[in-house]
Amino acid sequence: MKKLISGISALLTAAMLIAPMSAFADTTVSPTGGNPFDVTPNPGTAPTTVEFRVDPTYTVTIPAKVTLEDNGEGIYTNSGTLKAEDVKLAEGKEIVITLTSASKFNMQTSASATYKLPYTAEGTFGKLTDKEAGGIVAKFATSTEDQEVPVTFTTDETPKYAGTFTDPVVFTIEIKDIVTTLDEG
């Protein structure tokens, strides 16, 4: 019987060693000074930290395609809409969307076509004048409200040839520090 109890005791001890245990470094407050038999010892104080984390969240939607239309004067134009929903960022941060074009904002009817139709993109901050580098077209701040910014594409001249002109552009979405200038208020 002693062997059975010893065996069970050994198994229980081994199980306790394997079981995960948590240890916290709590602050202990004890009575300070005075008589140990005093029924009303001096109170103590101790700090604690209360915390939680909220991760950044947002949904940005860019147009899959923008089809330009003749404005009646031989110039083609149309807008696509950038949308931001449920934007929650760290304080002092904003979503910055830039637009670039590998062709430097020139459309072609095919990869082998020699004629390139220049066009311009325009967002919240005006027309992109640096066609090589592109630029900022929209910014979105923390908000529970849906936010929208149109981006307008316009040909710089009347097309010289017929055909379907295309150019893939790239929207880059980044989280950056809010920068205020005199122009932006």
Side-chain angles (χ1 to χ4, degrees):
M1 185 70 169
K2 283 185 179 183
K3 287 184 180 182
L4 179 63
I5 292 174
S6 293
I8 292 173
S9 178
L11 283 174
L12 289 174
T13 303
M16 288 190 321
L17 291 174
I18 294 172
M21 301 176 106
S22 298
F24 298 99
D26 290 334
T27 302
T28 302
V29 178
S30 299
T32 56
N35 182 344
F37 300 107
D38 190 351
V39 291
T40 57
N42 294 330
T45 61
T48 192
T49 301
V50 178
E51 72 176 36
F52 68 97
R53 178 178 175 84
V54 177
D55 291 326
T57 60
Y58 59 88
T59 301
V60 173
T61 305
I62 62 170
K65 181 179 182 180
V66 177
T67 302
L68 306 187
E69 298 172 358
D70 189 344
N71 69 358
E73 299 174 9
I75 299 296
Y76 289 76
T77 187
N78 205 348
S79 297
T81 302
L82 302 175
K83 298 178 185 177
E85 301 172 51
D86 300 319
V87 178
K88 186 176 287 185
L89 305 172
E91 188 172 357
K93 301 286 186 181
E94 65 187 346
I95 297 172
V96 177
I97 302 177
T98 56
L99 180 64
T100 57
S101 164
S103 73
K104 300 179 182 101
F105 297 95
N106 288 290
M107 291 189 232
Q108 293 178 270
T109 55
S110 71
S112 61
T114 56
Y115 173 67
K116 295 178 181 181
L117 176 61
Y119 69 101
T120 305
E122 182 175 357
T124 305
F125 302 98
K127 288 185 179 183
L128 299 181
T129 56
D130 187 344
K131 290 191 174 190
E132 188 167 330
I136 298 172
V137 291
K139 291 182 180 182
F140 296 109
T142 292
S143 176
T144 56
E145 300 293 321
D146 291 353
Q147 303 171 67
E148 295 184 356
V149 170
V151 177
T152 303
F153 300 91
T154 306
T155 59
D156 295 346
E157 63 187 39
T158 302
K160 293 180 183 177
Y161 299 99
T164 301
F165 291 85
T166 62
D167 183 40
V169 295
V170 175
F171 289 94
T172 301
I173 301 160
E174 298 178 277
I175 306 300
K176 293 189 172 186
D177 291 334
I178 294 174
V179 177
T180 18
T181 64
L182 296 176
D183 293 339
E184 293 177 334

